[in-house]
Amino acid sequence: MDALLLPLIVACPLLAAGVLFLSAGRMPPLPSCVIGAGSVGLSALMAVVLAIGFLQTPPPTGALHATLWSWMQVEGFSARIAFMLDPLSLVMMLVVTGVGFLILLYACGYMHDDPDIARFFGCMTLFVAAMLVLVFSSDLLSLYIGWEGVGICSYLLIGFWHTDTANVTAARKAFIVTRIGDAAMLCGLLLLATRAGTLDVASVLQTVTTRPADLQAAIAAFLLLGGAVAKSAQVPLQTWLPDAMAGPTPVSALIHAATMVTAGVYLIARLHPLFASIPVAMTAVALIGLITLLLAAGSALVQTDIKRILAYSTMSQIGYMFLALGTGAWQAAIFHLVTHAFFKALLFMAAGAIILRVHHRQDIYQMGGLAHAMPGVFAAFLAGSAALAGLPLLTAGFYSKEMILQGAWHADPMLWAGALLGAFATAIYIFRCVFIVFFGPRHTEPHGRTGAIMAIPLVCLAVLALTGGWMEMPDAIAPVHLLSNLLSPLFGAPMPEGPHWLLWAGSLVPLAGIGVAWMLWQPRTGTRTPPENALARLARAGWDFDTLYDVLIVRPFTTLGQLNQTDICDRLSDATAATARAGGRVFGRMQSGQVRRYAGWIAAGTVVALCLGVRP
């Protein structure tokens, strides 16, 4: 029965997507919401039942398998469509279905008056199905199908409001940048297939552990890292994520906060023996994470669009996960993945509620004084902000970030110092947003109220953002290690905890950041206008990575194309086309419609044929 639930959990949103797409957009809002949110809710219910059964009676092999069919089998290679539930995929399953259901429920209220609501829920449920295929797959080739599935759904949802050219441009940019990583990942998978003769995860990892790492394995690891970097919006392929905020807010909450951008983290964690066997790859993962978390935090400090602040925050927090992976703190990375899904989805959804009530304005400097006008939304946003900042003892973000800091300390104190600086900047930029949006003079008068169907998910996620960290705590606070115990069969024992002063440092730095934010942006004496200097403009533009790529890649490519317009290949094709046109004109003149001329041509042809026939 448990093995049957695995494909059923995927089938529910997949069938819902089929029904919604087949309606060709003619399905009314209520049935669209019921089918969309209901299918994911049913998957979440089955996921809870499956998780309870898995935890109560673990499979003898440590994983539950369900083989659907054999995809291909040739000499030296085989691939299957098969699902696997182990501790890692169990955690991801609960995050994708549980948080996904709350976001789709919220979307029922947010998108209720959109004429294309059926198409919206079709894309959202298809995304959930693709993400579940990604996390369940026990074969890397079928994992790649889910990987590409979430990519195409992301493209469709970012450009959902396609009548706006900016949205289409953002969707195309996300598609192209992530395709770069996808191509690298495919090459890495092909190298692994030639090395192991299969892409079955267990067989690939067994080959890694039994054969010493060589150049081929190292190249494969770096190619897979390229795929993870693009999908998770890490430096240097991070430029697509801020522009992806062009999509509806529920899209940002689901795809670009809670699920898709964590696919790269999941991939590295799933193949952790491969990366652990190549120290230079581990160092690269850690450095990419550290650089991304600092650069993204710096950009978030000066953004004025509330959704772009949260977008850069997502990049920064994924950077923390990469840092944890690169230091071998596997449990810490997955722990932060879970808590980040709670508080970042909450922040995006609260931001969406604010945007709806302030006439779709997103500039934080056009808001202000909203704490009294929308106290419920303020409480939800404050809970998410406290969790993001890592407010000590009270929030889930504190416990997961503290676990990452402990792992960074054991790997290299310089990495720990950089991560601590990122935590300080995180507290500043998110509470800058809180103080400007909810306190001070009111610049826009809000209207309406947040309905219950949007409020219920906010309440649920606020509770999780505050209490979700209780599953894993430092021994100095409480010896609770539920998540580590669950993941230890896969990753081994977690890293030992460092000295107690590390815990104190990790607790005081977020408080110091909140204090700095209060001094700079408090309602009465703080600065209420965005900074305008060269450094602020550079950070607001995402450190001008787009300009750099335009100069180094786009312009040389287009220039080369223009210079190469008349090369030999073009001339051959032009000559072929000219010959065809000339021949067409000649034969066109022969078709005059005059019977006498046709008879003459027949007679002439007959004479020529007779001459050839009687020639000696």
Side-chain angles (χ1 to χ4, degrees), residues 18-374:
V19 171
L20 290 163
F21 284 136
L22 288 174
S23 72
R26 291 189 293 269
M27 187 174 292
L30 182 59
S32 299
C33 293
V34 171
I35 293 174
S39 63
V40 179
L42 184 58
S43 291
L45 181 61
M46 288 189 290
V48 171
V49 172
L50 185 58
I52 293 173
F54 184 92
L55 296 175
Q56 288 181 343
T57 311
T61 60
L64 182 68
H65 293 271
T67 301
L68 302 183
W69 66 84
S70 179
W71 186 2
M72 63 181 74
Q73 188 163 1
V74 295
E75 185 178 356
F77 179 75
S78 63
R80 300 175 302 160
I81 301 295
F83 292 159
M84 172 183 65
L85 186 72
D86 65 351
L88 178 59
S89 54
L90 183 145
V91 172
M92 294 295 296
M93 170 188 70
L94 293 175
V95 170
V96 172
T97 58
V99 177
F101 168 66
L102 293 175
I103 294 172
L104 264 71
L105 183 63
Y106 169 92
C108 292
Y110 191 93
M111 302 290 294
H112 73 280
D113 58 349
D114 194 289
D116 288 330
I117 190 170
R119 177 167 61 89
F120 171 80
F121 277 105
C123 294
M124 291 285 273
T125 51
L126 182 61
F127 169 82
V128 173
M131 190 69 192
L132 288 171
V133 169
L134 191 157
V135 301
F136 281 156
S137 292
S138 64
D139 190 280
L140 291 174
L141 196 55
S142 60
L143 181 148
Y144 189 72
I145 295 175
W147 188 277
E148 291 293 334
V150 297
I152 189 62
C153 290
S154 174
Y155 169 77
L156 295 173
L157 287 165
I158 294 170
F160 178 75
W161 289 319
H162 53 81
T163 54
D164 190 337
T165 305
N167 297 346
V168 177
T169 302
R172 186 167 58 244
K173 180 179 180 180
F175 187 82
I176 292 172
V177 174
T178 54
R179 289 294 76 73
I180 296 171
D182 295 349
M185 179 182 173
L186 181 59
C187 294
L189 293 180
L190 293 175
L191 282 179
L192 289 180
T194 59
R195 181 180 173 86
T198 180
L199 284 176
D200 179 74
V201 172
S203 301
V204 169
L205 296 183
Q206 184 179 8
T207 303
V208 169
T209 55
T210 56
R211 291 175 56 181
D214 54 13
L215 181 60
Q216 184 182 24
I219 294 174
F222 274 98
L223 289 170
L224 293 173
L225 176 59
V229 162
K231 193 69 77 177
S232 293
Q234 298 293 284
V235 171
L237 298 177
Q238 83 287 7
T239 57
W240 66 270
L241 185 60
D243 293 344
M245 297 302 107
T249 299
V251 174
S252 303
L254 179 65
I255 295 181
H256 307 122
T259 51
M260 187 188 106
V261 290
T262 60
V265 178
Y266 171 80
L267 177 68
I268 296 175
R270 172 59 70 194
L271 300 177
H272 68 278
L274 172 64
F275 287 89
S277 66
I278 304 169
V280 66
M282 293 287 285
T283 302
V285 173
L287 290 177
I288 287 171
L290 181 62
I291 293 169
T292 303
L293 76 89
L294 293 176
L295 290 180
S299 289
L301 277 169
V302 295
Q303 297 298 317
T304 58
D305 185 309
I306 189 170
K307 287 181 67 176
R308 289 183 75 89
I309 293 172
L310 299 179
Y312 279 106
S313 172
T314 295
M315 291 165 50
S316 182
Q317 298 306 302
I318 301 294
Y320 270 106
M321 299 175 206
F322 268 67
L323 175 61
L325 293 170
T327 57
W330 314 107
Q331 290 94 333
I334 302 303
F335 186 25
H336 198 58
L337 184 154
V338 174
T339 60
H340 177 261
F342 296 155
F343 62 72
K344 190 53 64 65
L346 171 64
L347 285 170
F348 267 112
M349 291 158 68
I354 295 169
I355 292 167
L356 281 182
R357 295 181 60 180
V358 295
H359 312 284
H360 296 279
R361 294 179 179 174
Q362 298 182 195
D363 190 333
I364 60 175
Y365 289 98
Q366 295 180 358
M367 300 177 187
L370 299 180
H372 295 294
M374 45 183 79

Side-chain angles (χ1 to χ4, degrees), residues 440-576:
R442 188 178 299 172
H443 301 289
T444 301
E445 193 65 31
H447 71 284
R449 60 188 299 273
T450 303
I453 199 168
M454 294 173 62
I456 292 172
L458 290 177
V459 171
C460 294
L461 286 172
V463 172
L464 290 172
L466 296 176
T467 64
W470 295 351
M471 69 180 79
E472 189 75 28
M473 297 186 183
D475 288 333
I477 298 175
V480 179
H481 304 288
L482 299 179
L483 187 65
S484 291
N485 292 336
L486 174 64
L487 296 175
S488 58
L490 196 64
F491 298 126
M495 288 186 175
E497 295 180 11
H500 290 318
W501 66 267
L502 290 177
L503 184 61
W504 281 103
S507 302
L508 294 176
V509 163
L511 296 175
I514 296 173
V516 170
W518 175 258
M519 288 189 294
L520 293 176
W521 295 284
Q522 62 173 299
R524 294 185 179 179
T525 61
T527 303
R528 310 299 292 181
T529 57
E532 288 299 337
N533 55 63
L535 182 61
R537 288 191 293 271
L538 182 64
R540 193 176 297 126
W543 307 104
D544 260 350
F545 273 86
D546 283 327
T547 303
L548 178 65
Y549 293 153
D550 186 60
V551 171
L552 295 181
I553 299 174
V554 178
R555 291 182 186 177
F557 185 81
T558 55
T559 301
L560 182 63
Q562 292 169 356
L563 294 175
N564 204 35
Q565 286 181 345
T566 57
D567 63 1
I568 185 64
C569 294
D570 289 325
R571 291 184 179 182
L572 285 175
S573 61
D574 290 343
T576 302

